[in-house]
Amino acid sequence: PSVIDPGEVPETSIDDFKIEIDKDEEHYTVVSYLGKDEIVKIPSEANGLPITVIIFDAFANNTSIKTVIIPESVDFISNNVFSGCTSLEKVIILSNNVTFLDDGKDYTPDDYSKLSAN
């Protein structure tokens, strides 16, 4: 597989995502990805507010995705985000401060990228 420089990859259009604003209207959550791109770079913001959460099953059963780039703005990733993503090879997490929820355990980004491919 070729090396991907996240800085060289343009953000995927926000229109390819279903997002929801939090109750305090301070940030957005990625609810689902609707596109078919092989490389997906989640935008860091929408409508001037940061995208900070990716909830469970957001990418579930998408068989097109090979690489997902998660921006620095994201600080929480739920469990089963990539369940059924049979083509997924790599998850690049640009933030050093992410909480991962997976079966109630906390995982490091390195652990998570290994888990996600299963």
Side-chain angles (χ1 to χ4, degrees):
S2 58
V3 175
I4 294 173
D5 177 355
E8 298 293 314
V9 177
E11 287 187 345
T12 302
S13 170
I14 197 66
D15 296 335
D16 285 349
F17 296 90
K18 179 179 177 195
I19 60 171
E20 290 180 354
I21 196 162
D22 78 311
K23 62 180 174 31
D24 299 325
E25 298 188 1
E26 293 176 354
H27 66 84
Y28 281 98
T29 295
V30 172
V31 176
S32 60
Y33 172 67
L34 310 169
K36 295 291 179 201
D37 294 337
E38 287 186 4
I39 299 174
V40 176
K41 185 175 186 179
I42 299 171
S44 58
E45 65 174 42
N47 305 316
L49 295 173
I51 294 174
T52 62
V53 176
I54 304 172
I55 64 166
F56 60 92
D57 290 343
F59 291 87
N61 302 315
N62 185 312
T63 55
S64 305
I65 299 173
K66 291 185 177 180
T67 301
V68 176
I69 302 168
I70 298 174
E72 268 187 63
S73 62
V74 171
D75 59 17
F76 184 84
I77 300 174
S78 189
N79 57 343
N80 299 323
V81 169
F82 300 109
S83 62
C85 293
T86 52
S87 301
L88 186 66
E89 297 169 359
K90 185 182 293 188
V91 177
I92 300 170
I93 300 170
L94 301 178
S95 174
N96 293 323
N97 188 24
V98 179
T99 300
F100 300 91
L101 177 69
D102 197 295
D103 303 325
K105 300 176 200 150
D106 284 334
Y107 290 100
T108 66
D110 202 44
D111 293 336
Y112 192 77
S113 54
K114 291 179 195 132
L115 281 175
S116 313
N118 297 335

